Amino acid sequence: MQQFLYHIYSGRKYLQRLFLSLALVLLAMQGFATPANATGAYDMPSLAAGDKTWIIDQAEVLSRNSEGQINGTLANLAQQTGNEVRFVTIHRLDYDETAQSFTDRLFEKWFPTPETQANQTLLAIDTVTNTTGIRTGEKVKSLMSDEIAQSVASETVLVPLRAGDKYNQAFVDASDRISAVLSGKPDPGAPVVADTLQVESTFKKAEETDAGSSTIWVIGLLIAATVIPMATYFWYQSMGS
């Protein structure tokens, strides 16, 4: 009988170790999946003043037609005025970054001196949070004030996104507005927001759903690691009696 109970006890310990190991693996996968997909300024390709790259759509939210339209607008602006504007989209920031801090770091990486920064404008967006950052050089500020620049980032870009993640419209509108201002034309202004009732969505985002599913699996495995060995023990005990 003692040998029988010993085998049961050993089997229970083995099952506990097995399920706890699986739980730890799931926790590790959950904890490290997000940073692997995160982006910092150091991950972006090199670029310098005068380069003909106007858009880096790393998040892949822009259509080919929109990219072509925006590229044409910004290329014409650079050719006619010397003012260079670049748009960057990314999907998920590093955990210690904001959209604005990412924009500042990238601006200084690409244009490290006041001279190279002077005619530059950089607008970036994190598509997970739909937050934006904008940075301009000193000569740009004489045409496009910080107030207008912030309005472009927080209104011209974000209003279409609040209406349904309309990234193409957001960046086409932003390129048109910035181009007009930096060409010396009157500011077209921010888009008009219709005064409609906004009902908060009760649906979870994909990231929230994934995290919730992982947590449920972990909890389930931890419960199983305790319940199954105990049930097995009592079943064998009842069979023996």
Side-chain angles (χ1 to χ4, degrees):
M1 183 66 181
Q2 287 182 343
Q3 186 177 8
F4 175 69
L5 291 176
Y6 172 77
H7 284 302
I8 293 176
Y9 178 77
S10 299
R12 185 180 67 176
K13 296 291 288 183
Y14 171 77
L15 287 173
Q16 283 180 329
R17 288 195 296 269
L18 175 62
F19 281 109
L20 286 173
S21 297
L22 290 173
L24 289 173
V25 169
L26 282 176
L27 284 172
M29 291 174 64
Q30 182 180 2
F32 289 104
T34 295
N37 296 325
T39 302
Y42 50 84
D43 295 311
M44 303 303 294
S46 297
L47 190 148
D51 287 358
K52 305 303 181 183
T53 299
W54 312 115
I55 304 173
I56 297 180
D57 183 24
Q58 192 178 81
E60 299 182 345
V61 293
L62 299 177
S63 69
R64 183 173 298 180
N65 287 338
S66 294
E67 280 203 49
Q69 184 177 344
I70 295 168
N71 275 320
T73 298
L74 300 183
N76 288 335
L77 175 68
Q79 184 177 7
Q80 294 172 8
T81 69
N83 292 308
E84 299 181 355
V85 180
R86 292 176 174 85
F87 295 156
V88 172
T89 74
I90 59 170
H91 186 71
R92 200 184 304 279
L93 288 164
D94 278 348
Y95 74 95
D96 59 343
E97 289 274 26
T98 65
Q100 187 58 54
S101 69
F102 169 82
T103 304
D104 289 336
R105 291 178 194 270
L106 186 58
F107 188 85
E108 291 165 8
K109 172 186 175 180
W110 283 348
F111 319 114
T113 65
E115 292 75 21
T116 57
Q117 294 174 2
N119 294 322
Q120 303 295 329
T121 298
L122 174 61
L123 173 63
I125 185 169
D126 168 31
T127 60
V128 168
T129 59
N130 277 348
T131 53
T132 56
I134 192 166
R135 178 76 177 268
T136 59
E138 288 303 316
K139 288 186 178 180
V140 171
K141 295 179 188 296
S142 63
L143 291 170
M144 183 169 66
S145 65
D146 288 340
E147 182 181 1
I148 294 177
Q150 288 301 322
S151 175
V152 171
S154 62
E155 296 178 289
T156 305
V157 173
L158 295 187
V159 167
L161 301 188
R162 296 188 189 108
D165 289 347
K166 299 177 181 178
Y167 290 98
N168 293 291
Q169 179 185 338
F171 281 95
V172 168
D173 290 351
S175 66
D176 288 344
R177 185 179 179 188
I178 292 174
S179 179
V181 172
L182 295 185
S183 297
K185 300 175 183 177
D187 177 17
V192 177
V193 181
D195 187 14
T196 57
L197 178 64
Q198 297 293 326
V199 179
E200 184 177 357
S201 173
T202 58
F203 295 99
K204 292 184 178 181
K205 295 181 178 179
E207 291 80 5
E208 296 172 339
T209 303
D210 293 342
S213 298
S214 298
T215 302
I216 291 172
W217 271 102
V218 170
I219 293 174
L221 285 172
L222 290 174
I223 293 173
T226 302
V227 173
I228 291 176
M230 291 180 63
T232 304
Y233 169 76
F234 285 115
W235 182 77
Y236 276 118
Q237 192 175 48
S238 64
M239 290 291 292
S241 61

